[in-house]
Amino acid sequence: MPLPFKKGEPDLPDNRKAAMSRLHGLKNQFLKRPKYHEHYMTFMNHYMTFMNEILKRGDAEKIPTDEVSTSSSWYIPHHGVYHPKKPSKVRVVFDCSARYQGTCLNDHLLQGPDLINPLIGVLYRFRQAPIAFTYDVEKMYHQFRVTKEHQDYLRFLWWENGDLSKPPVDYRMKVHLFGATSSPGCANFGLKQIAEDHKVLGVEAAEFLKRNFYVDDGLKCVSSEEDAIDLIKKAVSMCAKGNLRLHKFVCNNQRVTSSIPESERTVVAKTSLELGQQGSTSIERALGIQWCINSDEFCFRLTLKDHPLTRRGILATVASIYDPLGLIAPVVLVGRQIVQEMCRQKMDWDHPVPEDLRPQWEKWRLEILKLPKVTIPRCFEPQDFGTPQEVQLHHFSDASLSGYGQCSYVRLKDENGKVHCSLAMAKARVTPLKQTTIPRLELQAAICSVRIASILNDELDYDSLTHHFWTD
């Protein structure tokens, strides 16, 4: 695919000197921070290995000397960033927003339509059946090539073999970059197009690629082991047609896991298979949510940083709790109420917590450390539950002067008349600072229920749904 420029190929200024200056700044960081240098060099060694591989495939190349002075070109600075959960690793980021003479590459690129599936929709469907698995597309953006006439807009500088004593060398990427405004749209279009072009291999596998991927992470659940094995086989074959590799496989079923080559599994999946169901607490992240594979439950294991006891620090702690489905919404609401009270008192961002709020904050912070004891079943259906014959969604809403919210439950009834209810989603909000009446807040909560119901109705894959709304 070409780079989707807004008004044809732009005439950009020569920013090689600016990129060279950024590279020298990076070199100075290496000399001042030896540990950072070591980690960066380790990553770049792997990167160079990767470069050798893609050079064989023709995905990237070193720019010939006689082509370095091409007029239509752009150099992209890069730097290393630490992942907070992987302090010994560094990720190289290409800065497509780096400006030179008032412009940057991203200014000239179209973002394109939003083809990313809603995150909560993918998570909803991940809870509908007992056998669940996750997949990942290897280096998704780098699997889609850029047309030749646009590759010179993706140049970068680096020391050959990572040797700082040598002069920098000019390279150009031939694939879409992480950091370019257009890359998410291009990559997601490419994945969906592969599914459409090869759907003859399996309609369900094509739907999996189209509807159950959030960028490069795919989540899916099915009713039987045979269906899971067949779907995985077809999805892998379909992606292979477009030279995409599905890897980092995780599943809550040992037989399905055994059918996957060991090289395609995550470390967690391998460990889970070795330990079996007894005594294993293998946890994997499913779009950021912690999923205990063997017990098939969502859990909340928090690692809180020691932020200062200020409005800024308290907000950072509350915002660090990731819960897109609102499964622990009542707990998070208390923290938000404390932040709101500080806003009501018009405190500065770095003002210490007042004495009247300190006990309330310390109590809440101690309580959220107990969240690891809380688990939520991933699947809406319990074990030994039959095929759902009737599916209802019950939405409850309520309000008070301190907050309002709603919760939605999936109510399933099988052929034997057995009934089971599961929490699907919840949302809790603090009331506005401007005082309002309880009836108006009740209506706000009811509106929230209607909006959540609309999302659930669109995203869940049940054949027929009936909605029931409960409010004061």
Side-chain angles (χ1 to χ4, degrees), residues 91 133 167 177 187-188 203 244 260 291 316 323 350 353 393 411:
R91 178 185 293 273
F133 61 88
L177 291 178
N188 279 279
V203 176
L244 299 185
I260 304 300
W291 174 33
D323 181 30
D350 297 310
V353 178
L393 282 171
R411 182 182 185 274

mmCIF file with all atom_site columns, all heavy atoms in Angstrom, residues 91 133 167 177 187-188 203 244 260 291 316 323 350 353 393 411:
data_model
loop_
_atom_site.group_PDB
_atom_site.id
_atom_site.type_symbol
_atom_site.label_atom_id
_atom_site.label_alt_id
_atom_site.label_comp_id
_atom_site.label_asym_id
_atom_site.label_entity_id
_atom_site.label_seq_id
_atom_site.pdbx_PDB_ins_code
_atom_site.Cartn_x
_atom_site.Cartn_y
_atom_site.Cartn_z
_atom_site.occupancy
_atom_site.B_iso_or_equiv
_atom_site.pdbx_formal_charge
_atom_site.auth_seq_id
_atom_site.auth_comp_id
_atom_site.auth_asym_id
_atom_site.auth_atom_id
_atom_site.pdbx_PDB_model_num
ATOM 1   N N   . ARG A 1 91  ? 12.378  -0.342  23.730 1.00 0.00 ? 91  ARG A N   1
ATOM 2   C CA  . ARG A 1 91  ? 11.712  -0.382  22.424 1.00 0.00 ? 91  ARG A CA  1
ATOM 3   C C   . ARG A 1 91  ? 12.147  0.826   21.612 1.00 0.00 ? 91  ARG A C   1
ATOM 4   O O   . ARG A 1 91  ? 12.167  1.946   22.128 1.00 0.00 ? 91  ARG A O   1
ATOM 5   C CB  . ARG A 1 91  ? 10.190  -0.375  22.600 1.00 0.00 ? 91  ARG A CB  1
ATOM 6   C CG  . ARG A 1 91  ? 9.423   -0.359  21.272 1.00 0.00 ? 91  ARG A CG  1
ATOM 7   C CD  . ARG A 1 91  ? 7.945   -0.224  21.499 1.00 0.00 ? 91  ARG A CD  1
ATOM 8   N NE  . ARG A 1 91  ? 7.394   -1.402  22.145 1.00 0.00 ? 91  ARG A NE  1
ATOM 9   C CZ  . ARG A 1 91  ? 6.976   -2.493  21.496 1.00 0.00 ? 91  ARG A CZ  1
ATOM 10  N NH1 . ARG A 1 91  ? 7.069   -2.539  20.179 1.00 0.00 ? 91  ARG A NH1 1
ATOM 11  N NH2 . ARG A 1 91  ? 6.487   -3.511  22.153 1.00 0.00 ? 91  ARG A NH2 1
ATOM 12  N N   . PHE A 1 133 ? -9.494  -18.553 23.483 1.00 0.00 ? 133 PHE A N   1
ATOM 13  C CA  . PHE A 1 133 ? -8.075  -18.474 23.127 1.00 0.00 ? 133 PHE A CA  1
ATOM 14  C C   . PHE A 1 133 ? -7.755  -17.077 22.613 1.00 0.00 ? 133 PHE A C   1
ATOM 15  O O   . PHE A 1 133 ? -8.646  -16.322 22.192 1.00 0.00 ? 133 PHE A O   1
ATOM 16  C CB  . PHE A 1 133 ? -7.699  -19.532 22.085 1.00 0.00 ? 133 PHE A CB  1
ATOM 17  C CG  . PHE A 1 133 ? -8.438  -19.423 20.777 1.00 0.00 ? 133 PHE A CG  1
ATOM 18  C CD1 . PHE A 1 133 ? -7.964  -18.621 19.743 1.00 0.00 ? 133 PHE A CD1 1
ATOM 19  C CD2 . PHE A 1 133 ? -9.613  -20.139 20.561 1.00 0.00 ? 133 PHE A CD2 1
ATOM 20  C CE1 . PHE A 1 133 ? -8.633  -18.528 18.533 1.00 0.00 ? 133 PHE A CE1 1
ATOM 21  C CE2 . PHE A 1 133 ? -10.291 -20.045 19.351 1.00 0.00 ? 133 PHE A CE2 1
ATOM 22  C CZ  . PHE A 1 133 ? -9.801  -19.246 18.342 1.00 0.00 ? 133 PHE A CZ  1
ATOM 23  N N   . PRO A 1 167 ? 30.801  6.473   11.068 1.00 0.00 ? 167 PRO A N   1
ATOM 24  C CA  . PRO A 1 167 ? 29.808  7.475   10.662 1.00 0.00 ? 167 PRO A CA  1
ATOM 25  C C   . PRO A 1 167 ? 28.444  6.819   10.437 1.00 0.00 ? 167 PRO A C   1
ATOM 26  O O   . PRO A 1 167 ? 28.369  5.646   10.029 1.00 0.00 ? 167 PRO A O   1
ATOM 27  C CB  . PRO A 1 167 ? 30.382  8.035   9.357  1.00 0.00 ? 167 PRO A CB  1
ATOM 28  C CG  . PRO A 1 167 ? 31.289  6.962   8.853  1.00 0.00 ? 167 PRO A CG  1
ATOM 29  C CD  . PRO A 1 167 ? 31.861  6.291   10.050 1.00 0.00 ? 167 PRO A CD  1
ATOM 30  N N   . LEU A 1 177 ? 5.257   1.997   9.366  1.00 0.00 ? 177 LEU A N   1
ATOM 31  C CA  . LEU A 1 177 ? 5.934   2.143   10.654 1.00 0.00 ? 177 LEU A CA  1
ATOM 32  C C   . LEU A 1 177 ? 4.961   2.369   11.792 1.00 0.00 ? 177 LEU A C   1
ATOM 33  O O   . LEU A 1 177 ? 3.927   3.039   11.635 1.00 0.00 ? 177 LEU A O   1
ATOM 34  C CB  . LEU A 1 177 ? 6.904   3.332   10.618 1.00 0.00 ? 177 LEU A CB  1
ATOM 35  C CG  . LEU A 1 177 ? 8.148   3.198   9.753  1.00 0.00 ? 177 LEU A CG  1
ATOM 36  C CD1 . LEU A 1 177 ? 8.945   4.492   9.828  1.00 0.00 ? 177 LEU A CD1 1
ATOM 37  C CD2 . LEU A 1 177 ? 9.003   2.032   10.200 1.00 0.00 ? 177 LEU A CD2 1
ATOM 38  N N   . ALA A 1 187 ? -2.850  -0.995  8.252  1.00 0.00 ? 187 ALA A N   1
ATOM 39  C CA  . ALA A 1 187 ? -2.670  -2.356  8.749  1.00 0.00 ? 187 ALA A CA  1
ATOM 40  C C   . ALA A 1 187 ? -4.007  -3.041  8.985  1.00 0.00 ? 187 ALA A C   1
ATOM 41  O O   . ALA A 1 187 ? -4.187  -4.217  8.641  1.00 0.00 ? 187 ALA A O   1
ATOM 42  C CB  . ALA A 1 187 ? -1.839  -2.340  10.024 1.00 0.00 ? 187 ALA A CB  1
ATOM 43  N N   . ASN A 1 188 ? -4.957  -2.317  9.572  1.00 0.00 ? 188 ASN A N   1
ATOM 44  C CA  . ASN A 1 188 ? -6.266  -2.923  9.821  1.00 0.00 ? 188 ASN A CA  1
ATOM 45  C C   . ASN A 1 188 ? -7.019  -3.184  8.522  1.00 0.00 ? 188 ASN A C   1
ATOM 46  O O   . ASN A 1 188 ? -7.721  -4.191  8.398  1.00 0.00 ? 188 ASN A O   1
ATOM 47  C CB  . ASN A 1 188 ? -7.091  -2.023  10.747 1.00 0.00 ? 188 ASN A CB  1
ATOM 48  C CG  . ASN A 1 188 ? -6.726  -2.194  12.193 1.00 0.00 ? 188 ASN A CG  1
ATOM 49  O OD1 . ASN A 1 188 ? -7.162  -3.119  12.864 1.00 0.00 ? 188 ASN A OD1 1
ATOM 50  N ND2 . ASN A 1 188 ? -5.888  -1.297  12.698 1.00 0.00 ? 188 ASN A ND2 1
ATOM 51  N N   . VAL A 1 203 ? -15.607 -19.291 6.512  1.00 0.00 ? 203 VAL A N   1
ATOM 52  C CA  . VAL A 1 203 ? -16.337 -18.057 6.812  1.00 0.00 ? 203 VAL A CA  1
ATOM 53  C C   . VAL A 1 203 ? -16.139 -17.639 8.260  1.00 0.00 ? 203 VAL A C   1
ATOM 54  O O   . VAL A 1 203 ? -15.949 -16.462 8.564  1.00 0.00 ? 203 VAL A O   1
ATOM 55  C CB  . VAL A 1 203 ? -17.841 -18.239 6.501  1.00 0.00 ? 203 VAL A CB  1
ATOM 56  C CG1 . VAL A 1 203 ? -18.619 -16.987 6.897  1.00 0.00 ? 203 VAL A CG1 1
ATOM 57  C CG2 . VAL A 1 203 ? -18.048 -18.547 5.026  1.00 0.00 ? 203 VAL A CG2 1
ATOM 58  N N   . LEU A 1 244 ? 1.122   -13.196 6.916  1.00 0.00 ? 244 LEU A N   1
ATOM 59  C CA  . LEU A 1 244 ? 1.006   -12.823 8.322  1.00 0.00 ? 244 LEU A CA  1
ATOM 60  C C   . LEU A 1 244 ? 1.171   -14.076 9.176  1.00 0.00 ? 244 LEU A C   1
ATOM 61  O O   . LEU A 1 244 ? 0.651   -15.133 8.841  1.00 0.00 ? 244 LEU A O   1
ATOM 62  C CB  . LEU A 1 244 ? -0.350  -12.191 8.628  1.00 0.00 ? 244 LEU A CB  1
ATOM 63  C CG  . LEU A 1 244 ? -0.706  -10.899 7.901  1.00 0.00 ? 244 LEU A CG  1
ATOM 64  C CD1 . LEU A 1 244 ? -2.028  -10.364 8.413  1.00 0.00 ? 244 LEU A CD1 1
ATOM 65  C CD2 . LEU A 1 244 ? 0.374   -9.852  8.067  1.00 0.00 ? 244 LEU A CD2 1
ATOM 66  N N   . ILE A 1 260 ? -1.443  -26.865 19.052 1.00 0.00 ? 260 ILE A N   1
ATOM 67  C CA  . ILE A 1 260 ? -0.694  -25.728 18.524 1.00 0.00 ? 260 ILE A CA  1
ATOM 68  C C   . ILE A 1 260 ? 0.799   -26.021 18.640 1.00 0.00 ? 260 ILE A C   1
ATOM 69  O O   . ILE A 1 260 ? 1.252   -26.496 19.687 1.00 0.00 ? 260 ILE A O   1
ATOM 70  C CB  . ILE A 1 260 ? -1.031  -24.439 19.300 1.00 0.00 ? 260 ILE A CB  1
ATOM 71  C CG1 . ILE A 1 260 ? -2.540  -24.175 19.266 1.00 0.00 ? 260 ILE A CG1 1
ATOM 72  C CG2 . ILE A 1 260 ? -0.273  -23.252 18.733 1.00 0.00 ? 260 ILE A CG2 1
ATOM 73  C CD1 . ILE A 1 260 ? -3.107  -24.000 17.890 1.00 0.00 ? 260 ILE A CD1 1
ATOM 74  N N   . TRP A 1 291 ? -6.187  -12.353 32.894 1.00 0.00 ? 291 TRP A N   1
ATOM 75  C CA  . TRP A 1 291 ? -6.992  -13.561 32.711 1.00 0.00 ? 291 TRP A CA  1
ATOM 76  C C   . TRP A 1 291 ? -6.237  -14.747 33.308 1.00 0.00 ? 291 TRP A C   1
ATOM 77  O O   . TRP A 1 291 ? -5.167  -15.099 32.819 1.00 0.00 ? 291 TRP A O   1
ATOM 78  C CB  . TRP A 1 291 ? -7.271  -13.765 31.223 1.00 0.00 ? 291 TRP A CB  1
ATOM 79  C CG  . TRP A 1 291 ? -7.958  -15.035 30.862 1.00 0.00 ? 291 TRP A CG  1
ATOM 80  C CD1 . TRP A 1 291 ? -8.879  -15.724 31.594 1.00 0.00 ? 291 TRP A CD1 1
ATOM 81  C CD2 . TRP A 1 291 ? -7.801  -15.793 29.647 1.00 0.00 ? 291 TRP A CD2 1
ATOM 82  N NE1 . TRP A 1 291 ? -9.310  -16.850 30.928 1.00 0.00 ? 291 TRP A NE1 1
ATOM 83  C CE2 . TRP A 1 291 ? -8.654  -16.910 29.737 1.00 0.00 ? 291 TRP A CE2 1
ATOM 84  C CE3 . TRP A 1 291 ? -7.017  -15.612 28.503 1.00 0.00 ? 291 TRP A CE3 1
ATOM 85  C CZ2 . TRP A 1 291 ? -8.740  -17.860 28.709 1.00 0.00 ? 291 TRP A CZ2 1
ATOM 86  C CZ3 . TRP A 1 291 ? -7.097  -16.546 27.494 1.00 0.00 ? 291 TRP A CZ3 1
ATOM 87  C CH2 . TRP A 1 291 ? -7.952  -17.662 27.596 1.00 0.00 ? 291 TRP A CH2 1
ATOM 88  N N   . ALA A 1 316 ? -3.423  10.059  39.668 1.00 0.00 ? 316 ALA A N   1
ATOM 89  C CA  . ALA A 1 316 ? -2.587  9.078   38.967 1.00 0.00 ? 316 ALA A CA  1
ATOM 90  C C   . ALA A 1 316 ? -2.872  7.671   39.479 1.00 0.00 ? 316 ALA A C   1
ATOM 91  O O   . ALA A 1 316 ? -2.930  6.715   38.700 1.00 0.00 ? 316 ALA A O   1
ATOM 92  C CB  . ALA A 1 316 ? -1.115  9.426   39.144 1.00 0.00 ? 316 ALA A CB  1
ATOM 93  N N   . ASP A 1 323 ? -9.996  -1.061  34.013 1.00 0.00 ? 323 ASP A N   1
ATOM 94  C CA  . ASP A 1 323 ? -11.218 -1.867  34.132 1.00 0.00 ? 323 ASP A CA  1
ATOM 95  C C   . ASP A 1 323 ? -12.211 -1.437  33.060 1.00 0.00 ? 323 ASP A C   1
ATOM 96  O O   . ASP A 1 323 ? -13.208 -0.774  33.348 1.00 0.00 ? 323 ASP A O   1
ATOM 97  C CB  . ASP A 1 323 ? -11.803 -1.693  35.536 1.00 0.00 ? 323 ASP A CB  1
ATOM 98  C CG  . ASP A 1 323 ? -13.068 -2.514  35.755 1.00 0.00 ? 323 ASP A CG  1
ATOM 99  O OD1 . ASP A 1 323 ? -13.189 -3.592  35.130 1.00 0.00 ? 323 ASP A OD1 1
ATOM 100 O OD2 . ASP A 1 323 ? -13.924 -2.072  36.540 1.00 0.00 ? 323 ASP A OD2 1
ATOM 101 N N   . ASP A 1 350 ? -0.570  20.143  43.090 1.00 0.00 ? 350 ASP A N   1
ATOM 102 C CA  . ASP A 1 350 ? 0.460   19.636  43.993 1.00 0.00 ? 350 ASP A CA  1
ATOM 103 C C   . ASP A 1 350 ? 0.204   20.027  45.451 1.00 0.00 ? 350 ASP A C   1
ATOM 104 O O   . ASP A 1 350 ? 1.102   19.987  46.277 1.00 0.00 ? 350 ASP A O   1
ATOM 105 C CB  . ASP A 1 350 ? 1.837   20.138  43.544 1.00 0.00 ? 350 ASP A CB  1
ATOM 106 C CG  . ASP A 1 350 ? 2.200   19.611  42.163 1.00 0.00 ? 350 ASP A CG  1
ATOM 107 O OD1 . ASP A 1 350 ? 2.083   18.395  41.948 1.00 0.00 ? 350 ASP A OD1 1
ATOM 108 O OD2 . ASP A 1 350 ? 2.586   20.424  41.292 1.00 0.00 ? 350 ASP A OD2 1
ATOM 109 N N   . VAL A 1 353 ? -2.832  16.503  50.496 1.00 0.00 ? 353 VAL A N   1
ATOM 110 C CA  . VAL A 1 353 ? -4.186  16.071  50.846 1.00 0.00 ? 353 VAL A CA  1
ATOM 111 C C   . VAL A 1 353 ? -4.566  16.675  52.195 1.00 0.00 ? 353 VAL A C   1
ATOM 112 O O   . VAL A 1 353 ? -3.794  16.581  53.164 1.00 0.00 ? 353 VAL A O   1
ATOM 113 C CB  . VAL A 1 353 ? -4.265  14.527  50.923 1.00 0.00 ? 353 VAL A CB  1
ATOM 114 C CG1 . VAL A 1 353 ? -5.668  14.096  51.338 1.00 0.00 ? 353 VAL A CG1 1
ATOM 115 C CG2 . VAL A 1 353 ? -3.891  13.917  49.601 1.00 0.00 ? 353 VAL A CG2 1
ATOM 116 N N   . LEU A 1 393 ? -31.102 -9.568  28.720 1.00 0.00 ? 393 LEU A N   1
ATOM 117 C CA  . LEU A 1 393 ? -30.200 -8.593  29.327 1.00 0.00 ? 393 LEU A CA  1
ATOM 118 C C   . LEU A 1 393 ? -31.003 -7.742  30.291 1.00 0.00 ? 393 LEU A C   1
ATOM 119 O O   . LEU A 1 393 ? -32.004 -7.125  29.908 1.00 0.00 ? 393 LEU A O   1
ATOM 120 C CB  . LEU A 1 393 ? -29.552 -7.715  28.260 1.00 0.00 ? 393 LEU A CB  1
ATOM 121 C CG  . LEU A 1 393 ? -28.395 -8.338  27.474 1.00 0.00 ? 393 LEU A CG  1
ATOM 122 C CD1 . LEU A 1 393 ? -27.991 -7.446  26.314 1.00 0.00 ? 393 LEU A CD1 1
ATOM 123 C CD2 . LEU A 1 393 ? -27.199 -8.576  28.373 1.00 0.00 ? 393 LEU A CD2 1
ATOM 124 N N   . ARG A 1 411 ? -28.714 -12.930 31.338 1.00 0.00 ? 411 ARG A N   1
ATOM 125 C CA  . ARG A 1 411 ? -29.493 -14.022 31.932 1.00 0.00 ? 411 ARG A CA  1
ATOM 126 C C   . ARG A 1 411 ? -29.722 -15.098 30.873 1.00 0.00 ? 411 ARG A C   1
ATOM 127 O O   . ARG A 1 411 ? -30.368 -14.850 29.855 1.00 0.00 ? 411 ARG A O   1
ATOM 128 C CB  . ARG A 1 411 ? -30.833 -13.518 32.452 1.00 0.00 ? 411 ARG A CB  1
ATOM 129 C CG  . ARG A 1 411 ? -31.704 -14.583 33.141 1.00 0.00 ? 411 ARG A CG  1
ATOM 130 C CD  . ARG A 1 411 ? -33.037 -13.970 33.562 1.00 0.00 ? 411 ARG A CD  1
ATOM 131 N NE  . ARG A 1 411 ? -33.860 -14.899 34.327 1.00 0.00 ? 411 ARG A NE  1
ATOM 132 C CZ  . ARG A 1 411 ? -34.689 -15.804 33.804 1.00 0.00 ? 411 ARG A CZ  1
ATOM 133 N NH1 . ARG A 1 411 ? -34.792 -15.898 32.467 1.00 0.00 ? 411 ARG A NH1 1
ATOM 134 N NH2 . ARG A 1 411 ? -35.412 -16.603 34.564 1.00 0.00 ? 411 ARG A NH2 1
#
